[in-house]
Amino acid sequence: MAVDRRGFLKFVAGATTGVLATPVPWKLLDDASIWTQNWSWIPRNVDGANSYVSTISKLCPSAAGMKVRLVGERPVRVLPDDNHPLSMGGITALAVAEVQLMYSPSRVKRPLKHAGDGAYVAISWEEAEKMLKENLRRAGSKVAYVSGDETGTINELLSGMAKESGSEDFYVMPSEVQPAALAFASMNGKGQLGYDIENSDYVFAIGANILESWGTVLRNRAAFKKSHPAAKKPTVKFVYAGPVQNNTAAGADEWLPAKSGAEAIVAMGIANLLIKSGATINAPDFAEFKALAAQYTPQKVAALAGVAPAKLKAIAAELSKAQRPVVLTGSEFGQGTGVATVLAGTAVNMLLGSFGREGGVKALPLAPKVIASGMDRSESAQKDLVAYLSRISAGKVSKPRAMVFYEANPVYGLPQPAAMAKVMDKVPFKVAFTSFLDETAKACDLILPTPLGLERFDDVETPYGIGQAFYSLARPVAPCVIDGKPAADVLLSVATQLNMDLGFATFEEILQAKAEAAGADWDSLMEGEFFTSDAVAEQSNLRIAADVIGKALAAAPKAAKLSIAPVQKLSLGTPNTAIPPYNNKTIRRWELQKNEMYVAMNGATARELGVVKHDRIKLSNSSGSIQARVNIFEGVMPNTIAVLMGFGHTAFDEFSKGKGENVMELLTVGYEAGTGQSVWNVAGVNVSKA
Amino acid sequence: MQTKEFTIKWGMAIDLDKCTGCGACMVACQAENNLAPIADASNKIKVMNWITVYELSNGKPYPEHDVAYLPRPCQQCGHPPCVSVCPVIATDKNEEGGIVSQVTPRCIGCRYCMAACPYHARYFNWRDPVWPGGLEKALTPDVSVRPRGVVEKCTFCHHRWMAAKDKAIVEGRDPMDLAEGEYVTSCTEACPNGAITFGDLNNEEHEVAKLASSKHAHRLLERLGAHTQVYYVSRREWVLRQLDNYLEDEKVKG
Ligand code: SF4
């Protein structure tokens, strides 16, 4: 049969219609798309029974209360805990990544020893403990302990071991805790300063980035949430004073631009205006304080802190009109501030009648120490790690023969880290109890893996910032995924072998004693409950410590022509966690491109420096230098360069390592006149094109 | 095309005056929905986030400058531009609740939907998802892991709705009449500032419905007519102006 062209085309059209009308090609396409997605290396979901455990974060500095969701035995999610006083529904960008951090590629999986050729050798726990014990014995009293935990009773154990061996060298990594404790002690205060933000009707944060990382930030945010009903006028005004329109400024009802490190000056300016309008303090040194405050006229505050006089006056007037105002002071990046900052802020609270009042500042009682030879919090807060390392560097004190680091990463997290690391280099034996292979661990001779807070028992006592006394246990929600041992157990065993008498055989006994001392019920703590108390610490002879403020401010370094303003974001982790795997997606476009970081300045500053967006610049000063690209952001004060913290890790994993540079390189350590406390919240910088 | 209407219309109201850009929602979303982490997240074109927080600026120089943060999940358009362009019907809006679905196994990765979505809410999975160091042990069982080569987007944590309905059925309650808060998305729950409110836009008792009808509520690019189920709330006029690209001389609606 002959097929003509017309017949052929008809056949083709018919066949096409037939093919399209049958489900076969569609089914094949569907199957093909399913099967091309069915790769064996794509993980499968593993189901199981759901359960939820309440606990508290030991990784997030805000001590986030949280619920952990388990599927079978596996923890899979950190969820907010609506009933927790430190969370009240909501979670931080750091705590929410905590389960994932259990499996972080940078976790130390087994004890490691640093071999002579620089390699790490896996060793057994027996060998590790033996090495630790021998080195501690050899070091005798020439041993120093450094802790990265602000709230745990393990600090009593560490300081107790130091003292038992005849050493006074126990240090906690610097934060807001030390200046606050020193400030309150110089006022003759007893207990810890606490801020009752939730009951306040006007919140003025000077420096303290209360909506990002200052204090118990989830609790601060809960107060903000409640007082800022959606689509309605806020019921409480939040004002933030600082050099950068950071996340706290973004939420605050008003941003008051104020130079980095000028927090005490702003507070004194407010104090002066309040006194002028008739406010007084019933304290023996009020006259002295009044005379001092009188120097801080709005014009002087404008010159020193860059605050517009009209704005300062307006805020002082609003504060005096408020019923329950509270003023919070601190460094805008959580460290490096002086004692005078806290003192000046507390004086303003006293002038406002907010000291000891609901919605104001309270003195919270702290549980007595349970390890007799250990240091209590006020004792350990007197210990200045940065000053200690600087004194070693200057040859004023001899270097220790051994250093023990507990979840602390000073090689990354201290100001002038390179100089600090050099000092540590000279120490013959260093051991790191750590969960992650961080910069400090890499510099140690022995690396001992610790279970994370989700894998061990630990405790949290009254974190700095909270407005009431608090005690809670962190509980293991899952077996430890690495060959780790709780540091407390290892140290107790070594202490016994070194014939130290700490009074306890196990960490659990220590925690039980602490819970009792705090007034908490152990059984309910074990069930995930927490202890809070509205009790306040009784005070007598409270003074303003005007002499301390006076000396510190008289000798305070003047802000440089061009200064650095570090910006802290909890989503980028801490020196101990680096940037958690999921969190690097929260880094904004012009904060990091590949491995190059951006720093921000306003357009006027850029013009003055002759740079434009994306230019590569070098920032340097006597402490060090970093390279970055320029971003223009108008929410930065003139002559100020905002630099994000959390970059520049040389350790950890692919999610953190080698990204940008560490702003701490530029922070220059100075000493506060009158108190001698190390400070590094004022840093001048030079900029050149790179 | 008509806007699809349902008895229940799940929606969100995001208060831009309360969001401070902390990123807790972004991290919570990734953990909840099994998105893979990525070593270099600086390439914002090829990095997947079902919810992204954008930074807005009022464009004024210091000291008049103001900043706001805008979390952007899938807007669950009532009239979704992405649905009509999908050649294999991998995305649809047909289910009660009004959530725009995305059937991963059916997706052939042609990316027409990405081109059609005015909100950049859809992401192409450029890379094999990898969870280094045993991170896959923290995967949730609720959302299957998607391979390279498909398009993904926010589903308002649809699995949570399923779970809430199942719970109601087991307890002998009407699964179509869930109380406020029984079903919320992971980002809503995570936000420590309470910037996100989630619920049924059709239920006047639900907070989200009240917020959506507030004079401060606007929708993103509203004039495109996508009838989105996400509302943005701000008392700042400059923020509202940017939501729908208002011209300088135009008055903001509301
Ligand atoms: S936001 Fe984009 S992806 Fe979501 S429904 Fe609308 S068009 Fe589709």
Side-chain angles (χ1 to χ4, degrees):
Chain A
M1 191 178 77
V3 178
D4 63 4
R5 185 170 174 271
R6 176 183 293 234
F8 175 74
L9 287 179
K10 262 192 192 161
F11 172 75
V12 169
T16 310
T17 317
V19 165
L20 289 178
T22 78
V24 173
W26 305 111
K27 178 73 187 120
L28 288 176
L29 185 61
D30 199 12
D31 282 359
S33 62
I34 291 171
W35 284 105
T36 54
Q37 295 172 21
N38 223 358
W39 306 121
S40 55
W41 58 84
I42 308 258
R44 308 270 141 161
N45 296 17
V46 181
D47 213 346
N50 279 299
S51 57
Y52 298 85
V53 188
S54 290
T55 186
I56 191 163
S57 176
K58 284 299 285 184
L59 272 192
C60 180
S62 81
M66 58 196 189
K67 275 190 304 191
V68 181
R69 176 184 169 196
L70 297 160
V71 173
E73 302 265 278
R74 282 182 310 131
V76 297
R77 284 293 322 272
V78 164
L79 299 163
D81 189 345
D82 291 348
N83 301 318
H84 198 284
L86 288 177
S87 149
M88 295 192 260
I91 195 75
T92 62
L94 176 56
V96 74
E98 198 157 333
V99 162
Q100 282 69 26
L101 277 168
M102 283 175 63
Y103 305 104
S104 156
S106 54
R107 275 207 75 180
V108 186
K109 298 200 173 49
R110 58 192 69 82
L112 299 172
K113 148 174 118 173
H114 214 156
D117 59 359
Y120 299 102
V121 183
I123 55 172
S124 68
W125 270 105
E126 290 72 43
E127 199 182 332
E129 275 186 36
K130 195 165 154 232
M131 196 172 154
L132 176 62
K133 182 188 73 190
E134 278 165 9
N135 278 286
L136 289 183
R137 177 176 288 143
R138 211 171 297 142
S141 64
K142 302 197 76 45
V143 59
Y145 288 78
V146 178
S147 167
D149 183 351
E150 278 175 15
T151 55
T153 308
I154 191 156
N155 286 351
E156 287 184 29
L157 174 62
L158 297 164
S159 56
M161 285 183 70
K163 285 218 180 175
E164 291 277 331
S165 62
S167 163
E168 290 292 320
D169 293 320
F170 166 75
Y171 303 90
V172 181
M173 283 292 283
S175 68
E176 302 278 5
V177 170
Q178 294 88 353
L182 287 172
F184 202 38
S186 63
M187 291 173 64
N188 297 333
K190 284 169 208 72
Q192 175 178 297
L193 289 171
Y195 301 85
D196 186 14
I197 299 175
E198 44 272 77
N199 292 310
S200 178
D201 69 346
Y202 193 103
V203 178
F204 183 29
I206 310 178
N209 59 348
I210 54 169
L211 295 185
E212 187 53 40
S213 60
W214 185 92
T216 44
V217 69
L218 272 184
R219 182 193 60 107
N220 304 345
R221 284 176 180 270
F224 173 77
K225 167 162 73 177
K226 205 166 139 220
S227 60
H228 286 66
K232 295 206 182 90
K233 242 184 119 181
T235 55
V236 172
K237 184 167 178 180
F238 277 60
V239 181
Y240 172 72
V244 182
Q245 205 165 38
N246 58 11
N247 287 0
T248 298
D253 304 286
E254 186 175 337
W255 171 46
L256 179 72
K259 280 184 193 159
S260 208
E263 292 84 11
I265 290 157
V266 177
M268 290 306 280
I270 297 278
N272 178 30
L273 293 168
L274 292 175
I275 293 170
K276 273 192 166 167
S277 64
T280 61
I281 303 172
N282 182 14
D285 53 349
F286 178 64
E288 195 184 334
F289 179 76
K290 187 176 170 182
L292 180 65
Q295 298 172 21
Y296 292 89
T297 59
Q299 288 67 32
K300 186 161 175 185
V301 176
L304 295 174
V307 173
K311 281 202 166 193
L312 192 77
K313 285 183 193 161
I315 286 168
E318 285 174 359
L319 279 168
S320 35
K321 261 194 241 136
Q323 300 294 308
R324 296 180 312 280
V326 65
V327 175
L328 306 103
T329 48
S331 147
E332 78 269 13
F333 58 103
Q335 53 175 276
T337 194
V339 174
T341 303
V342 186
L343 284 174
T346 312
V348 175
N349 280 304
M350 291 168 118
L351 284 166
L352 293 166
S354 298
F355 193 91
R357 181 177 62 193
E358 189 180 339
V361 181
K362 291 179 174 174
L364 309 177
L366 286 170
K369 65 180 180 181
V370 293
I371 295 183
S373 49
M375 293 181 193
D376 65 20
R377 269 216 220 168
S378 54
E379 243 182 294
S380 59
Q382 317 264 340
K383 309 290 293 181
D384 186 336
L385 175 62
V386 171
Y388 172 63
L389 294 175
S390 305
R391 280 201 300 273
I392 297 176
S393 171
K396 289 188 187 142
V397 294
S398 60
K399 63 178 194 299
R401 280 201 211 115
M403 278 185 102
V404 179
F405 299 99
Y406 171 69
E407 299 197 336
N409 186 10
V411 174
Y412 174 86
L414 290 183
Q416 297 174 249
M420 302 290 167
K422 234 184 239 161
V423 178
M424 286 183 251
D425 260 357
K426 297 187 195 137
V427 178
F429 175 76
K430 293 173 296 275
V431 53
F433 286 93
T434 180
S435 299
F436 305 103
L437 193 59
D438 58 29
E439 286 82 357
T440 302
K442 280 175 80 175
C444 281
D445 306 280
L446 183 60
I447 308 170
L448 301 178
T450 54
L452 282 173
L454 295 178
E455 301 162 324
R456 68 174 193 238
F457 274 111
D458 209 331
D459 65 344
V460 172
E461 190 202 352
T462 316
Y464 178 62
I466 189 176
Q468 53 181 177
F470 175 87
Y471 189 79
S472 161
L473 288 182
R475 301 177 303 150
V477 301
C480 187
V481 300
I482 50 144
D483 181 17
K485 274 194 186 180
D489 293 342
V490 177
L491 287 165
L492 275 168
S493 141
V494 169
T496 313
Q497 294 173 55
L498 293 173
N499 298 323
M500 292 178 178
D501 182 15
L502 295 160
F504 295 92
T506 67
F507 192 47
E508 191 174 328
E509 282 174 30
I510 297 176
L511 294 180
Q512 274 182 5
K514 190 71 183 182
E516 195 182 321
D521 173 49
W522 178 256
D523 291 334
S524 49
L525 291 174
M526 289 290 277
E527 266 156 35
E529 295 289 317
F530 38 79
F531 165 83
T532 56
S533 159
D534 286 330
V536 289
E538 289 297 323
Q539 308 296 326
S540 56
N541 303 323
L542 213 55
R543 57 196 284 271
I544 311 173
D547 52 339
V548 181
I549 308 175
K551 271 189 210 148
L553 289 186
K558 301 283 164 285
K561 169 88 182 72
L562 197 58
S563 60
I564 285 288
V567 175
Q568 196 184 8
K569 289 190 184 181
L570 259 190
S571 63
L572 301 191
T574 64
N576 292 349
T577 63
I579 307 171
Y582 280 135
N583 295 43
N584 60 7
K585 291 186 189 173
T586 67
I587 301 170
R588 319 203 73 78
R589 194 165 183 204
W590 303 127
E591 288 174 347
L592 187 80
Q593 276 299 311
K594 294 221 174 280
N595 289 335
E596 261 188 315
M597 71 189 274
Y598 277 69
V599 295
M601 61 184 83
N602 73 29
T605 308
R607 275 193 297 281
E608 205 160 302
L609 292 172
V611 294
V612 293
K613 187 166 175 169
H614 306 305
D615 270 358
R616 211 175 259 139
I617 55 170
K618 182 174 166 188
L619 306 157
S620 56
N621 59 21
S622 57
S623 298
S625 73
I626 62 172
Q627 288 207 10
R629 285 188 186 251
V630 173
N631 183 26
I632 307 293
F633 178 62
E634 293 297 327
V636 184
M637 287 188 81
N639 300 320
T640 301
I641 299 185
V643 189
L644 205 50
M645 295 175 86
F647 288 146
H649 280 284
T650 54
F652 289 93
D653 48 35
E654 54 188 322
F655 301 101
S656 302
K657 195 174 171 181
K659 292 184 193 298
E661 300 197 37
N662 187 359
V663 63
M664 304 302 283
E665 302 280 359
L666 295 174
L667 300 184
T668 317
V669 178
Y671 295 92
E672 189 178 40
T675 66
Q677 163 87 4
S678 59
V679 285
W680 55 94
N681 57 349
V682 181
V685 71
N686 300 311
V687 168
S688 55
K689 286 215 184 177
Chain B
M1 208 207 324
Q2 287 295 303
T3 303
K4 289 228 168 137
E5 288 302 343
F6 303 88
T7 318
I8 296 174
K9 197 155 88 179
W10 295 116
M12 229 176 231
I14 307 180
D15 189 327
L16 302 182
D17 300 343
K18 291 181 82 171
C19 173
T20 57
C22 76
C25 57
M26 285 175 70
V27 182
C29 171
Q30 294 173 65
E32 177 81 12
N33 292 298
N34 296 336
L35 272 81
I38 186 152
D40 176 18
S42 70
N43 180 347
K44 299 298 179 195
I45 307 291
K46 293 196 173 177
V47 163
M48 286 204 304
N49 277 312
W50 288 7
I51 182 167
T52 296
V53 181
Y54 290 96
E55 188 178 86
L56 307 182
S57 159
N58 69 346
K60 293 195 179 164
Y62 174 88
E64 259 74 59
H65 187 259
D66 197 7
V67 68
Y69 291 93
L70 182 138
R72 197 266 13 248
C74 168
Q75 307 288 300
Q76 314 297 353
C77 306
H79 180 179
C82 55
V83 165
S84 52
V85 297
C86 180
V88 291
I89 321 177
T91 181
D92 198 7
K93 186 181 178 96
N94 248 334
E95 196 193 11
E96 189 53 59
I99 298 171
V100 176
S101 62
Q102 173 68 9
V103 185
T104 313
R106 191 174 258 193
C107 174
I108 55 167
C110 71
R111 293 182 274 152
Y112 290 169
C113 58
M114 287 175 67
C117 172
Y119 303 106
H120 290 218
R122 289 182 166 264
Y123 291 84
F124 185 65
N125 210 340
W126 287 96
R127 302 176 175 94
D128 274 331
V130 273
W131 283 268
L135 263 166
E136 77 280 357
K137 295 199 186 76
L139 290 175
T140 73
D142 313 322
V143 183
S144 48
V145 171
R146 289 82 51 196
R148 179 184 67 192
V150 295
V151 172
E152 307 190 359
K153 72 164 191 78
C154 151
T155 63
F156 271 0
C157 295
H158 184 266
H159 58 280
R160 287 188 169 210
W161 188 28
M162 295 294 147
K165 280 200 289 189
D166 287 351
K167 189 164 177 275
I169 293 168
V170 168
E171 289 169 4
R173 293 182 289 120
D174 178 2
M176 298 308 283
D177 188 21
L178 299 176
E180 178 150 26
E182 267 195 88
Y183 159 42
V184 291
T185 65
S186 178
C187 55
T188 306
E189 177 189 69
C191 176
N193 290 9
I196 310 178
T197 308
F198 185 82
D200 179 6
L201 289 165
N202 286 345
N203 186 340
E204 278 166 22
E205 298 295 304
H206 279 203
E207 195 54 36
V208 72
K210 290 179 203 155
L211 288 173
S213 60
S214 147
K215 66 172 190 230
H216 303 297
H218 287 239
R219 290 188 281 184
L220 208 51
L221 303 177
E222 187 156 351
R223 290 182 285 192
L224 292 181
H227 299 287
T228 56
Q229 281 167 219
V230 176
Y231 288 77
Y232 288 97
V233 177
S234 177
R235 298 188 308 122
R236 288 177 281 184
E237 193 180 307
W238 74 264
V239 173
L240 299 177
R241 285 194 164 277
Q242 292 192 11
L243 292 183
D244 206 2
N245 292 331
Y246 282 93
L247 298 173
E248 243 165 61
D249 54 349
E250 262 182 304
K251 246 182 88 71
V252 175
K253 175 186 83 64

